[in-house]
Amino acid sequence: MPRALTLPLMLLAIAACSPTLTTDIATDTGSATAAKICDEIGQSLPTRSRSDTQQTRDEITEAYAVFVAVCPNHEHLIPK
């Protein structure tokens, strides 16, 4: 499975397993666990390459959008 697809799936798995934790992450209530999860996921976000196919570029864009939606105060971790 392409790496870009695994991030949205990982975030969905977190949401399914722990709605409370997902709420902590999305609202940034100060939960150290939520912040650590966002930090770890943010540091493993896929990067772009000139050789990416259109499908890969679309998947990376989607992964970034999902990350921002779930971890709004960690947007700075998205690779430039």
Side-chain angles (χ1 to χ4, degrees):
M1 176 177 297
R3 185 172 179 193
L5 287 178
T6 58
L7 176 66
L9 294 176
M10 184 180 356
L11 293 172
L12 289 173
I14 291 169
C17 293
S18 178
T20 303
L21 182 59
T22 305
T23 301
D24 285 353
I25 292 171
T27 60
D28 195 29
T29 59
S31 164
T33 302
K36 182 66 173 168
I37 289 171
C38 285
D39 286 343
E40 292 296 322
I41 293 172
Q43 292 172 17
S44 67
L45 288 169
T47 56
R48 298 179 189 267
S49 168
R50 281 185 238 162
S51 63
D52 287 343
T53 64
Q54 184 60 49
Q55 179 179 349
T56 301
R57 287 192 296 264
D58 293 344
E59 291 170 356
I60 290 172
T61 299
E62 180 183 359
Y64 292 172
V66 169
F67 179 73
V68 168
V70 175
C71 299
N73 293 326
H74 291 78
E75 194 171 343
H76 63 279
L77 295 174
I78 294 176
K80 300 292 177 203

